[in-house]
Amino acid sequence: MASSPRSPPPAPPPEFKISRQSRIFAALSKKVIDLDELRMLASQGVPDAAGVRSTVWKLLLGYLPNDRSLWEQELAKKRLQYAAFKDEFLSNPVETSRQVGKEGHCNNNAEHVDNGLLHRSEVTQEEHPLSLGKTSVWNQFFEYSEIMEQIDRDVKRTHPDMHFFCGDSSFAKSNQESLKNVLLIFAKLNAGIRYVQGMNEILAPLFFVFRSDPDDKNAKFAEADSFFCFVELLSGFRDNFCQKLDNSAVGIQGTLAKLSQLVAKYDAELQHHLEITTEVNPQFYAFRWITLLLTQEFNFADTIHIWDTLLSDPDGPQETLLRICCAMLILVRKRLLAGDFTSNLKLLQNYPPTNIGHLLYVANKLH
């Protein structure tokens, strides 16, 4: 059995942080960035003060090419593409119908006065609100109205303790609007998955980091950048969100089984006590840990630190995520071994505050 170190490793001296910060700056200033080097540096945490996390995450997620000379061109292309998605997917059916009317009846007689309402004759069958046609903008609008309501509810509940996401300020409201836009466009582009409750929690750290970029030009396009990075991040976890695959080897049950095997490998006694003696199966607590990438188990600053490590995994975050989940169990093993079903479930569904540096250190030892 591999046991965890008894006490957290000593905090690194200030000069270590400074050297890592300068090494990250040096890595980012190269004409062609060495992604292996960047992953190694970022996996130990990206210094907050450096103001470079936004760039580092975009590189780790493959949104920015490693050739710096291509950045401007690539960003302009992607941001333009997102603007087109917004035009296509977020348009109001009234506006779309009006546009169709104008384009189809540009030679109307001069007596017609445009009061903003379509004349009955101008509304095509397909654009009528009661049309059942699949291409009808109204049909599509009603089809997604339920999803829009769900997204709206979830976004309003995103980090209620943070002024960035919540409150009556125009800044918070603008940020909420951006989250809603990204999630709705994602739902419309990914008909097989659409929107699954909790996706807002995965989007939030990305948008926060990009919106907080010290470079105003990048911060301005946080919504577009977040969309593409969200798609990239979710592509590695897509199967966890696909209901049809829930019970398959590649779905969420398969992922939970992998966690169980990992715990058995490093701490067979703990795995037996949890799953056999007290019957606390991983789906009771780790379902949320895995599907929401630990965003609900720690405070926001700690989540950001954990994500530095998750996004640094060259094979995608899944394996690192499972090691961190295993380390979370090992760190509270004494309490778990002494506990019964009720106390263990309560402990794991409300994971206690912990030293994140120590947690990541233990997880790294589980290679």
Side-chain angles (χ1 to χ4, degrees), residues 71-193:
W71 284 7
E72 204 170 319
Q73 174 191 338
E74 191 62 25
L75 286 173
K77 187 177 84 178
K78 286 285 173 56
R79 288 163 177 175
L80 208 59
Q81 189 181 348
Y82 182 74
F85 285 153
K86 284 182 84 167
D87 283 345
E88 183 178 352
F89 296 118
L90 301 183
S91 55
N92 183 315
V94 176
E95 291 300 319
T96 309
S97 297
R98 183 178 293 139
Q99 195 58 37
V100 168
K102 280 183 181 173
E103 289 169 5
H105 298 79
C106 50
N107 295 322
N108 271 1
N109 63 57
E111 289 175 21
H112 169 64
V113 178
D114 183 11
N115 60 1
L117 296 173
L118 280 178
H119 281 211
R120 200 164 186 166
S121 61
E122 291 178 337
V123 182
T124 66
Q125 185 59 36
E126 279 298 291
E127 304 315 322
H128 194 282
L130 298 180
S131 166
L132 298 176
K134 290 206 168 173
T135 58
S136 160
V137 288
W138 285 100
N139 188 294
Q140 291 165 22
F141 177 76
F142 293 134
E143 187 185 345
Y144 280 94
S145 61
E146 217 172 293
I147 293 174
M148 287 160 70
E149 285 170 21
Q150 179 69 64
I151 289 172
D152 191 54
R153 277 196 301 272
D154 288 354
V155 164
K156 281 176 179 164
R157 289 195 291 250
T158 306
H159 298 289
D161 55 327
M162 291 178 65
H163 293 304
F164 182 92
F165 293 107
C166 268
D168 294 327
S169 72
S170 58
F171 181 62
K173 286 188 166 152
S174 157
N175 292 338
Q176 283 189 4
E177 207 56 40
S178 288
L179 293 182
K180 286 191 264 192
N181 290 344
V182 169
L183 293 169
L184 185 57
I185 291 171
F186 177 86
K188 290 191 173 188
L189 283 170
N190 294 273
I193 299 175

